Amino acid sequence: MPKKGKKYQDSIKEFDKSNLYDVNEALDLVVKTAKAKFDETIEVHVKLGVDGRHADQQVRGAIVLPNGTGKTVKVLVFAKGDKAAEALAAGADYVGEADLAQKIQTENWFDFDVVVATPDMMGVVGRLGKILGPKGLMPNPKSGTVTMDVTKALQDIKAGKVEYRLDKTNLIHTPIGKASFGPEKLQENFTALMDAIIKAKPPVAKGQYLRSVTVAATMGPGVKINPAKLGN
């Protein structure tokens, strides 16, 4: 394990790592312990009591955070004709067809954060599955990134839309803003995200759904939140 820096060590001394905190206390601590020279991203890490290997226990969706993410997001749209023109008018950073797919394949080009595609372009985009999939960039109808309404998709993404989805260890990792937001705005974003995750609970899930909930800044230690107080 690499040795943690002095700021991290100092931050750990400010709270009890084994304690389960209320949301407002946890976010206060996370903001206080974000001591890097840049505006750190605050992330939520949620362990769920489901088995994502089964299709009926998948948890996935997207939500527009009330206060955005604090990040400027670059969006690539696969569309043609009128939909390509609509995407450009709506603020897409890149719009194209097979040309951009080839650029990704041959030049290892990834100067974008989100990919949107119209359904008729999924034949082209599907060939990029092995490249985009592992990076979490593959468009998906459940997250609203495969759609004919490219204007709404772009508006939501630019306004601070985040996707939540289980990884292979049944964890969800999602940003809820920047340290500069302060605890109140972060709490509004946190509440919106957790409400969405709780509503997405699969009907077949048994027992405790929220196993653990942790918030952390990019360079800071994780602060544990009491999941029992969030609803299950």
Side-chain angles (χ1 to χ4, degrees):
M1 287 286 288
K3 194 173 185 297
K4 299 289 187 182
K6 185 177 183 302
K7 286 180 182 175
Y8 183 94
Q9 300 293 347
D10 289 343
S11 294
I12 280 187
K13 293 172 187 171
E14 294 191 24
F15 68 98
D16 182 351
K17 276 206 86 176
S18 64
N19 198 21
L20 295 176
Y21 290 90
D22 288 344
V23 176
N24 56 340
E25 289 179 296
L27 291 170
D28 270 339
L29 284 166
V30 162
V31 171
K32 280 179 190 168
T33 55
K35 296 178 178 177
K37 290 179 181 176
F38 61 93
D39 192 5
E40 295 182 56
T41 295
I42 308 301
E43 276 208 347
V44 179
H45 308 277
V46 185
K47 176 83 169 176
L48 295 180
V50 295
D51 187 346
R53 291 174 299 178
H54 301 288
D56 60 355
Q57 294 188 49
Q58 269 294 327
V59 177
R60 181 175 188 173
I63 182 173
V64 179
L65 297 175
N67 300 301
T69 62
K71 180 183 177 184
T72 302
V73 181
K74 287 187 179 179
V75 185
L76 161 61
V77 178
F78 283 99
K80 57 188 176 185
D82 290 347
K83 286 296 166 182
E86 182 186 329
L88 282 170
D93 297 274
Y94 307 102
V95 181
E97 302 176 44
D99 55 331
L100 290 184
Q102 186 174 4
K103 187 172 182 177
I104 291 168
Q105 286 176 310
T106 59
E107 298 177 29
N108 201 29
W109 174 67
F110 288 104
D111 187 28
F112 48 87
D113 306 294
V114 182
V115 181
V116 173
T118 52
D120 58 335
M121 292 302 297
M122 287 309 291
V124 171
V125 180
R127 295 197 288 272
L128 300 173
K130 287 183 179 176
I131 303 171
L132 298 179
K135 293 180 180 289
L137 292 169
M138 192 66 185
N140 185 289
K142 286 185 180 176
S143 60
T145 46
V146 177
T147 177
M148 287 302 285
D149 194 347
V150 291
T151 298
K152 185 177 187 312
L154 280 156
Q155 285 171 345
D156 286 350
I157 292 163
K158 297 284 187 178
K161 183 178 185 178
V162 293
E163 188 176 351
Y164 56 88
R165 58 187 296 188
L166 285 178
D167 67 10
K168 289 177 182 175
T169 60
N170 298 315
L171 276 163
I172 288 173
H173 311 276
T174 306
I176 55 165
K178 298 284 187 179
S180 61
F181 281 23
E184 284 186 25
K185 284 188 174 181
L186 288 170
Q187 185 164 347
E188 288 172 6
N189 282 356
F190 174 89
T191 301
L193 173 66
M194 292 309 301
D195 284 351
I197 291 172
I198 290 167
K199 280 178 187 165
K201 179 180 179 179
V204 296
K206 299 285 185 270
Q208 187 179 355
Y209 179 54
L210 301 177
R211 293 287 175 86
S212 70
V213 181
T214 306
V215 286
T218 308
M219 307 294 288
V223 182
K224 294 175 184 174
I225 289 172
N226 187 349
K229 294 190 177 181
L230 299 175
N232 237 324

